[in-house]
Amino acid sequence: MKRQKYSAFSLLRNAFSHHEKWRQAWCHPEPRKSYDVVIVGGGGHGLATAYYLAREHGARNVAVLEKGWIGGGNTGRNTTIVRSNYLWTEAALLYEKSMQLWEGLSADLNYNVMFSQRGVYNLGHSLQDMREIERRVTANRLNGIDAEVVTPREIKAAIGIINTSRDARYPILGASLQKRGGVARHDAVAWGFARAADSLGVDIIQNCEVTGLDVVNGRIEGVQTNRGPIQSGRVGVVVAGHASVLAAMAGIRLPIESHPLQAYVSEPLKPVLDTVVMSGAVHGYISQSDKGELVVGAGIDAYNGYGQRGSFQTIEHAMQAIVELFPVFSRVRMLRQWGGIVDVTPDACPIIGGTPVEGLYFNCGWGTGGFKATPGSGWVFAHTIAHDAPHELNAPFGLERFTTGALIDEHGAAAVAH
């Protein structure tokens, strides 16, 4: 009885504290003059890299430099979808490693990242779509990844509000289904990795923009920042959207383009959609958040740029498609819209590995698939930096593939999902 009274009093006391006495999730140290490893970019991938460097490889003298605040970049500007049903073995195994890490991530970090395996449907609207779906499902099964082809009747039974009429503008002929796929809370992922990395001795330094890379005789020796120079013989760059800008500081030209990617959410509704529905053909995908908002994503804007607004016609096209698939949503009001920046490579796959500059590593080019790969990306990138050699999972994703021609074309499986 006394314990219950104490718990109630503690809750009441903290309710009126306005957070003044709450323990900080991570420290805010001043940058040191040097580190063994510097990670540039405090998004999900950068924080995951630092965490796995400390946990898996025993690194302690590590810093994460973030030009803004933790989770304020592309990590907080996506639609939170997680899946691993990619076509080619190289990509599928990398994303499957990430999926396996997702499944135990909350327990691993001791932080609830709100990972919900509610299933992901990829719709097919033509015979060609269905051929591609069947091909990918077969490839997934051969790689030990769960996947199945479902019929329009099965889709309607699972999602009662979806329009499966043959007279629809985008008739649904079937879909692939990955039941282990789902969504996670994007900012919780960043906060969880940040707290866990901090507990292992990683310095997380916010408001610290990298303005230059110090390269001497073909080797990295440190970085220049708006808070002074920092020396390091190993630098990992994980700055989604601006990788080419950082690479240019070292005299490297990356084969990537940056595009805006837009999304929006509706006003909150009672639970009505308990899964994720994607359609690459109509460039729209939708799920419902735990707060009740419908989270809708669109395709990338065609133009290159670093803006985070995008063009209205892209959003308009996505709205038309979603309303056609879900007529019941036609009267739902839009609450807010945002845009992120995605780096796209010629084969829609990432670049994870070393560069011509010794000690300088890049993790970029994830296109629209970055969030779902967060833990797996950090895990393999940490291995690459710690051993100065790629893990077998990211070995196919080196920068050299663009000169050898060993590309991994995932444009179809990447679709428009983020």
Side-chain angles (χ1 to χ4, degrees):
M1 191 69 181
K2 289 183 179 180
R3 188 173 184 177
Q4 291 177 346
K5 287 183 178 180
Y6 177 78
S7 298
F9 173 75
S10 177
L11 180 63
L12 183 63
R13 180 185 61 191
N14 283 295
F16 287 97
S17 72
H18 301 290
H19 303 178
E20 295 97 339
K21 298 181 180 180
W22 286 26
R23 181 179 177 182
Q24 289 185 336
W26 57 85
C27 301
H28 301 277
E30 289 295 318
R32 304 177 198 169
K33 292 184 178 179
S34 67
Y35 291 92
D36 293 339
V37 183
V38 166
I39 303 299
V40 182
H45 290 236
L47 293 167
T49 301
Y51 170 70
Y52 289 117
L53 271 169
R55 198 195 76 169
E56 300 288 334
H57 306 284
R60 289 296 181 268
N61 191 21
V62 178
V64 176
L65 309 183
E66 168 55 43
K67 72 175 183 179
W69 65 92
I70 295 300
N74 281 344
T75 295
R77 290 177 171 271
N78 62 76
T79 52
T80 74
I81 297 172
V82 175
R83 60 186 178 92
S84 62
N85 55 346
Y86 278 66
L87 175 62
W88 298 106
T89 297
E90 298 90 342
L93 293 181
L94 179 59
Y95 281 100
E96 179 59 18
K97 174 62 180 180
S98 193
M99 177 68 79
Q100 293 168 5
L101 291 172
W102 276 113
E103 291 174 322
L105 193 60
S106 291
D108 184 24
L109 300 179
N110 190 28
Y111 196 97
N112 185 9
V113 300
M114 301 173 69
F115 179 48
S116 171
Q117 291 178 287
R118 58 186 65 182
V120 176
Y121 289 84
N122 289 81
L123 302 179
H125 303 283
S126 67
L127 292 177
Q128 181 58 40
D129 286 348
M130 293 309 301
R131 293 189 193 100
E132 178 61 29
I133 283 172
E134 291 174 1
R135 179 190 181 198
R136 197 194 320 171
V137 166
T138 301
N140 290 160
R141 289 177 173 175
L142 289 173
N143 282 315
I145 299 170
D146 67 304
E148 58 187 281
V149 178
V150 291
T151 66
R153 181 174 295 182
E154 291 172 313
I155 297 169
K156 185 67 175 180
I159 313 169
I161 58 174
I162 198 167
N163 180 14
T164 57
S165 169
R166 293 185 178 183
D167 298 327
R169 181 181 178 186
Y170 306 106
I172 297 173
L173 303 186
S176 68
L177 169 61
Q178 184 178 26
K179 291 182 178 179
R180 289 167 60 235
V183 297
R185 177 78 180 182
H186 43 41
D187 45 12
V189 173
W191 299 337
F193 272 120
R195 191 180 75 159
D198 174 84
S199 70
L200 294 174
V202 174
D203 278 2
I204 298 174
I205 305 171
Q206 301 177 85
N207 301 310
C208 185
E209 182 177 2
V210 171
T211 58
L213 300 176
D214 294 333
V215 179
V216 180
N217 296 325
R219 177 170 181 80
I220 192 75
E221 292 195 349
V223 299
Q224 296 292 325
T225 78
N226 61 345
R227 297 175 65 174
I230 299 174
Q231 297 177 354
S232 181
R234 287 181 290 176
V235 175
V237 180
V238 201
V239 288
H242 290 83
S244 57
V245 176
L246 270 292
M249 296 178 183
I252 300 171
R253 184 178 180 184
L254 295 177
I256 58 177
E257 295 180 346
S258 296
H259 294 262
L261 180 70
Q262 299 181 75
Y264 58 93
V265 297
S266 75
E267 60 186 330
L269 307 173
K270 290 184 177 181
V272 65
L273 183 64
D274 61 357
T275 188
V276 180
V277 178
M278 300 174 50
S279 174
V282 302
H283 290 276
Y285 42 104
I286 185 170
S287 63
Q288 188 170 19
S289 75
D290 293 330
K291 294 189 295 182
E293 301 165 339
L294 297 176
V295 184
V296 182
I300 63 172
D301 281 271
Y303 61 88
N304 298 339
Y306 299 106
Q308 295 179 325
R309 291 191 175 186
S311 52
F312 180 74
Q313 61 263 31
T314 302
I315 286 291
E316 185 179 34
H317 177 75
M319 285 182 170
Q320 291 171 344
I322 293 301
V323 169
E324 182 69 32
L325 294 173
F326 298 92
V328 70
F329 294 152
S330 62
R331 298 177 65 184
V332 176
R333 289 173 293 187
M334 179 175 163
L335 183 63
R336 65 182 182 277
Q337 173 270 347
W338 67 91
I341 307 168
V342 295
D343 285 338
V344 183
T345 63
D347 61 357
C349 278
I351 298 168
I352 318 170
T355 69
V357 176
E358 187 179 355
L360 179 62
Y361 310 88
F362 267 77
N363 183 347
C364 61
W366 287 93
T368 60
F371 179 74
K372 65 177 70 69
T374 300
S377 165
W379 193 86
V380 298
F381 198 41
H383 180 282
T384 301
I385 295 173
H387 297 277
D388 192 29
H391 187 275
E392 61 180 6
L393 287 175
N394 68 298
F397 298 95
L399 188 58
E400 65 277 359
R401 76 180 188 272
F402 297 103
T403 55
T404 64
L407 303 183
I408 309 163
D409 190 355
E410 282 289 359
H411 280 94
V416 294
H418 196 197

